[in-house]
Amino acid sequence: TLRAGLQIAGSKHEEQGREQGFLSRMLSRRSFHKCDLWSSRRMGILSAVFALAFVIVAAEGEDSGGESPTVVAIDMTMNMKDEQGKPTQRSVKATILQHEDVAAAAVRFCKTYNMARAESVISMVGYLQQAQEKQAPEHQPEEIELLRTAGAYSKRATEHAANDRYLDAAADLTRALVRPGLDPQAKERMTRQLNEVFEDLEKHEKEEAKALAIQLELERRQKAEEEAEEEARQRRAREAEDWEAFNAVLAGTRPPSEDEGVIASLDLQLQQQTKDGGSTSTPVRAVLREGEDPHHAAFHFCSAKNLLSHSEISKIGTGLAQRAQIAPPEPKSPEEQLKLAVQKRKDGAFAEAGVSYSHLAAHHPGAPEAVLKQARAGAVDMLRAQQRLSEAASQFMASNWTATLENTKELLNIVPGCTNSTILLMQARSNQQIGRWADVVQITGSLLTTVPSRGSWVRGQHRMMAVALGSQAAMEIGDGEKALKFYQLVLRNDPDQQDIGKQYKGLKKLLKLLKEADEKLSKSRNHDALKILEEALSAMKGMDVGSGHMRADILLRQCKVYSEMKRFEEALQACDQSVHHRQTPVAGMFVDPRKLSHALNTRGGSHMQDHNYDEAVRDFREAKEQADRSGDREFSNELQRKLQEAQMQQKQWSTRRDHRQVLELPVNLHSLSKEKQCTWVKKQHKALARKWHPDKAKGDKQRASRKMREVSEAKEVLTQQLQC
């Protein structure tokens, strides 16, 4: 064994290691075997030198890429074609590695250079045998078990192929084919077997490559989903911070609760009527804080104490100003005062509007009566509006969304046409939290038309928060184009807005994928369409979209694809989800009968292909009712035809069912003998019964039970017909 190992090493490193060749010659001497000529000390030295030589060979083998050392090498010139298809020649090196024999090396070489055919392998064996006789005549790897007959090699090759060891199988068949005296018929059979092994190897490699590509695609998609979900999580965290800041600002609209920074005060008696017609007097105090306008303080006091009178605002404001020794403001003309009040009213600055109205009513008694009447009523309206705003703010910060909407609704009834972004944002946010997506889109759209669009769009701005709310709501109701418009408004005025830019590109990609999927579907390229739809569903994961309307559109497309591919379990699952989403009303929106009818029509078609005619009839009937409700007469007529066809198939399937079709028997079964037909029936029944048994079947158990009944009935009928 030692001698053989060093001969291999010596042949590989013939020019580089003369010491190894010397050791090989020394070991081959007969005197080496005479122990009396060698002292134990000399034996120890020689063993150490041999170990060093073996380590050198192993190390050089590792340096060459970790492959087994080369035993035989020959240079060859191959006639090939280049990338343009032109004939060319290429110099290659054919080798036999230490763990290979001639057959294994020939198979590996032919496989490497796309020559995997029996005749090519046999020819290569001849070249390598000649080279081995010159370079390493004694080489025979111990790893390969030699067999006595070609039949034994063929049998072992079959075992190798059954376990996907195709190269080992090809090497064994090659060893069988090069044995002398092989019978011509056996040679022909083994040649055919070798070619089949190469074909199976090619199929196996393609399947592995396909599986690897699928795995890599899944990993890529999973990584993209994780990154998108992380971006969405960070975006939600930033939006939460923005809403916290919004609440902090909103807290300033509520009446102050502490007496810090008071510079002046008025002690008053608040007269209130009781239920029995009497009255009570309650001591109250109006305060003025540092930096606060006296009349604004009076306005908030009157609003909080329900003193709905313009004169009370004026009197308390004047009293606070006198206590604080603050000079009264310069008087304005009635026209200027009214114009200012109307503008502040529209802007939602109720305190300023109320003060202006009260000043007009108190300090301009000579103004026209209509103007004074408008001023008095305006001051009262502003007090009521401020009350509703304070209450709405309190409810909003307490996350009482319905109460917030009730108060803002009353507020806007008092002040119609108000464009205050704070009020509109409270409305939009409250509608979002209770799922009224259509209302969110409408309110945020109105808000964005009233605020300036120029300049940089940054976090925390009311317009930026409105875009986030509106775009998400548009996606929730399945209106991707509307969501794009929200993003486009930002990017037109601030092209460098990165967060919106990313979301815009993601949504643009999603809509493009859906368009591509429709194109593939129209051309019946179902596998391509399915891949695109899966990618589209993956792309939605980073878009903060929880509603099913846009998802329902994708699922409906998937249902069509799966039906065409005869993957009915997945098709019906996708259809059921799509129909469910179409039937589920969204707050602020009605169930669209047109879209629901199309979803039911698609599911009905899947049931038809799956031979579930009872469910198909139900779906087509309901789809027609929805189409009639939507007023689509043409589609209704089409559904009527489908319903009649389904009813006809339903009757035929229940009375004259094709049992051969149920058992998925070959169409030419009748050409076989009765015994073989019975064998086929039993075989198919066993396979399908195992597939559709309700305890083992995956997915819809009702469908599995129906299939099981049909399979059992088909087996019983055919067994009687064939007299099995």
Side-chain angles (χ1 to χ4, degrees):
T1 301
L2 296 179
R3 186 186 307 115
L6 283 175
Q7 285 175 346
I8 294 170
S11 65
K12 182 178 187 298
H13 302 281
E14 194 169 12
E15 296 85 3
Q16 302 151 346
R18 295 181 181 177
E19 296 86 352
Q20 299 165 21
F22 168 75
L23 283 173
S24 179
R25 290 193 298 274
M26 288 293 294
L27 288 170
S28 65
R29 291 180 181 177
R30 298 178 68 183
S31 59
F32 174 76
H33 303 283
K34 298 178 180 180
C35 296
D36 59 319
L37 296 179
W38 293 82
S39 66
S40 61
R41 184 176 180 182
R42 287 170 180 167
M43 279 293 294
I45 293 172
L46 184 58
S47 298
V49 173
F50 167 76
L52 178 62
F54 191 82
V55 168
I56 292 172
V57 172
E60 291 182 359
E62 290 179 1
D63 291 341
S64 65
E67 296 181 354
S68 180
T70 300
V71 178
V72 175
I74 56 175
D75 294 324
M76 304 181 68
T77 301
M78 295 179 60
N79 294 322
M80 305 178 68
K81 291 184 179 181
D82 59 15
E83 295 179 356
Q84 287 76 30
K86 297 180 180 179
T88 184
Q89 291 186 334
R90 177 181 174 184
S91 297
V92 298
K93 187 181 288 293
T95 59
I96 300 177
L97 302 181
Q98 185 173 345
H99 68 279
E100 294 178 327
D101 63 357
V102 172
V107 168
R108 175 175 56 80
F109 178 87
C110 291
K111 178 67 180 66
T112 302
Y113 292 102
N114 297 321
M115 300 162 53
R117 298 294 298 171
E119 55 272 19
S120 301
V121 174
I122 300 302
S123 299
M124 197 65 212
V125 167
Y127 293 126
L128 290 173
Q129 279 180 336
Q130 294 176 10
Q132 182 179 348
E133 289 172 359
K134 295 178 181 179
Q135 299 180 27
E138 298 183 12
H139 170 66
Q140 177 58 48
E142 294 182 357
E143 296 90 339
I144 299 176
E145 180 185 357
L146 300 179
L147 303 179
R148 293 192 175 187
T149 64
Y153 279 120
S154 176
K155 183 178 179 181
R156 190 168 72 178
T158 302
E159 294 176 358
H160 284 316
N163 292 286
D164 296 338
R165 298 192 297 269
Y166 297 103
L167 291 178
D168 292 340
D172 271 342
L173 289 169
T174 303
R175 294 180 190 111
L177 286 168
V178 298
R179 290 179 66 87
L182 185 63
D183 179 73
Q185 291 183 347
K187 185 174 184 180
E188 181 181 356
R189 177 177 57 81
M190 292 182 188
T191 300
R192 185 170 60 253
Q193 187 179 358
L194 178 56
N195 286 327
E196 290 174 355
V197 166
F198 281 131
E199 291 174 1
D200 292 342
L201 173 59
E202 184 178 2
K203 292 178 183 178
H204 180 71
E205 289 179 341
K206 286 181 178 179
E207 290 175 358
E208 285 189 333
K210 183 179 179 180
L212 178 61
I214 292 173
Q215 180 63 28
L216 291 175
E217 174 62 20
L218 288 175
E219 291 176 359
R220 180 197 68 78
R221 192 178 298 163
Q222 183 178 3
K223 183 179 179 182
E225 287 178 8
E226 290 173 354
E227 291 175 353
E229 288 175 349
E230 177 60 22
E231 284 185 9
R233 187 193 64 78
Q234 294 177 3
R235 187 164 60 248
R236 287 193 296 270
R238 292 194 297 268
E239 290 174 357
E241 291 176 1
D242 292 341
W243 285 110
E244 288 179 6
F246 179 83
N247 284 353
V249 174
L250 198 61
T253 65
R254 295 185 298 171
S257 58
E258 299 180 0
D259 292 337
E260 296 180 2
V262 175
I263 59 175
S265 64
L266 283 175
D267 291 322
L268 305 168
Q269 292 295 323
L270 183 61
Q271 300 292 332
Q272 291 179 316
Q273 288 187 345
T274 60
K275 293 182 179 180
D276 57 4
S279 64
T280 60
S281 179
T282 306
V284 293
R285 174 174 291 183
V287 298
L288 176 66
R289 290 176 173 79
E290 188 174 357
E292 191 176 13
D293 181 82
H295 290 85
H296 286 187
F299 178 88
H300 287 294
F301 174 81
C302 292
S303 174
K305 302 303 180 183
N306 202 29
L307 297 174
L308 305 181
S309 169
H310 69 90
S311 60
E312 296 294 341
I313 299 173
S314 181
K315 286 190 295 185
I316 296 173
T318 302
L320 288 173
Q322 290 174 353
R323 290 286 181 92
Q325 298 181 352
I326 298 175
E330 294 183 6
K332 296 180 181 178
S333 66
E335 293 77 12
E336 291 177 334
Q337 205 78 57
L338 183 61
K339 182 178 180 182
L340 177 63
V342 171
Q343 183 60 48
K344 294 299 181 182
R345 176 190 181 115
K346 183 179 180 182
D347 295 340
F350 304 131
E352 295 180 30
V355 169
S356 296
Y357 279 130
S358 65
H359 279 327
L360 176 56
H363 301 298
H364 298 281
E369 182 60 28
V371 173
L372 292 175
K373 185 177 180 181
Q374 181 180 356
R376 297 185 195 105
V380 174
D381 285 344
M382 294 305 97
L383 288 167
R384 293 170 56 214
Q386 185 63 40
Q387 287 178 330
R388 293 301 98 216
L389 178 58
S390 296
E391 181 62 21
S394 298
Q395 298 293 346
F396 183 86
M397 286 183 285
S399 301
N400 296 326
W401 311 116
T402 303
T404 301
L405 290 172
E406 290 173 355
N407 280 282
T408 53
K409 183 179 179 181
E410 289 182 26
L411 190 157
L412 293 176
N413 287 334
I414 297 168
V415 193
C418 177
T419 59
N420 184 287
S421 60
T422 300
I423 298 170
L424 294 176
L425 265 185
M426 283 196 294
Q427 274 195 315
R429 175 72 166 173
S430 299
N431 279 302
Q432 179 213 34
Q433 293 298 308
I434 59 180
R436 295 178 179 174
W437 303 111
D439 291 339
V440 176
V441 172
Q442 185 268 324
I443 293 168
T444 52
S446 299
L447 189 155
L448 291 170
T449 60
T450 61
V451 297
S453 57
R454 299 291 182 184
S456 298
W457 290 61
V458 296
R459 278 183 51 200
Q461 293 178 343
H462 286 187
R463 60 184 182 178
M464 195 69 162
M465 297 167 75
V467 166
L469 289 172
S471 58
Q472 182 192 4
M475 289 285 289
E476 293 287 353
I477 61 177
D479 194 345
E481 295 297 333
K482 184 68 175 179
L484 278 181
K485 290 180 180 179
F486 279 101
Y487 295 144
Q488 288 166 349
L489 174 63
V490 179
L491 297 176
R492 274 199 305 268
N493 296 282
D494 188 2
D496 298 327
Q497 223 302 325
Q498 295 183 357
D499 288 341
I500 295 297
K502 287 181 180 179
Q503 295 177 66
Y504 175 78
K505 289 178 181 177
L507 179 55
K508 195 81 172 175
K509 176 186 175 183
L510 174 61
L511 297 179
K512 182 180 179 182
L513 287 172
L514 295 180
K515 186 177 180 181
E516 289 178 0
D518 289 337
E519 291 177 357
K520 301 296 183 185
L521 281 169
S522 65
K523 297 176 182 178
S524 298
R525 296 173 61 177
N526 297 315
H527 287 85
D528 293 340
L530 185 59
K531 289 180 182 178
I532 295 172
L533 292 172
E534 288 173 351
E535 188 171 353
L537 283 173
S538 176
M540 286 189 67
K541 290 193 175 181
M543 293 186 177
D544 297 335
V545 181
S547 171
H549 279 269
M550 181 165 282
R551 193 177 299 274
D553 291 337
I554 300 176
L555 290 170
L556 198 59
R557 293 175 173 90
Q558 276 192 326
C559 177
K560 294 178 182 178
V561 173
Y562 283 134
S563 295
E564 293 294 328
M565 297 168 68
K566 309 299 182 185
R567 292 165 60 175
F568 299 115
E569 187 68 42
E570 294 157 297
L572 292 171
Q573 185 177 2
C575 274
D576 288 344
Q577 292 182 43
S578 180
V579 171
H580 172 72
H581 290 311
R582 293 295 184 208
Q583 289 175 330
T584 304
V586 174
M589 292 183 65
F590 63 92
V591 173
D592 189 339
R594 184 182 60 84
K595 290 185 177 181
L596 179 56
S597 65
H598 281 277
L600 289 165
N601 171 53
T602 302
R603 188 171 70 178
S606 297
H607 283 310
M608 287 285 286
Q609 290 183 290
D610 193 38
H611 306 299
N612 189 356
Y613 300 108
D614 294 342
E615 293 297 328
V617 167
R618 291 192 188 95
D619 278 343
F620 287 137
R621 182 177 288 121
E622 186 178 353
K624 184 180 183 305
E625 292 174 0
Q626 295 295 332
D628 291 339
R629 190 174 301 170
S630 68
D632 191 343
R633 184 169 298 178
E634 182 178 353
F635 189 49
S636 176
N637 293 335
E638 180 184 344
L639 288 169
Q640 179 63 32
R641 290 193 296 271
K642 289 185 177 182
L643 176 60
Q644 291 173 351
E645 181 183 354
Q647 290 171 333
M648 182 179 67
Q649 293 285 352
Q650 180 187 33
K651 183 177 180 180
Q652 183 175 350
W653 189 255
S654 61
T655 57
R656 299 189 302 277
R657 186 180 307 154
D658 187 347
H659 297 292
R660 295 172 184 265
Q661 186 180 13
V662 171
L663 288 181
E664 300 176 9
L665 295 170
V667 292
N668 61 341
L669 184 70
H670 62 277
S671 62
L672 302 178
S673 64
K674 182 185 295 185
E675 183 180 353
K676 289 185 178 180
Q677 290 186 51
C678 290
T679 301
W680 265 101
V681 169
K682 293 176 183 178
K683 174 185 172 184
Q684 287 299 102
H685 173 263
K686 184 177 180 180
L688 291 173
R690 187 165 52 246
K691 177 181 178 181
W692 295 116
H693 194 284
D695 295 338
K696 297 181 180 180
K698 299 179 181 178
D700 187 356
K701 297 300 182 182
Q702 290 185 349
R703 177 171 179 262
S705 298
R706 175 178 61 83
K707 291 283 189 181
M708 188 66 192
R709 287 195 302 271
E710 292 175 353
V711 166
S712 299
E713 182 182 344
K715 188 243 184 181
E716 182 179 351
V717 171
L718 291 175
T719 300
Q720 292 177 355
Q721 289 179 355
L722 296 171
Q723 298 179 351
C724 297

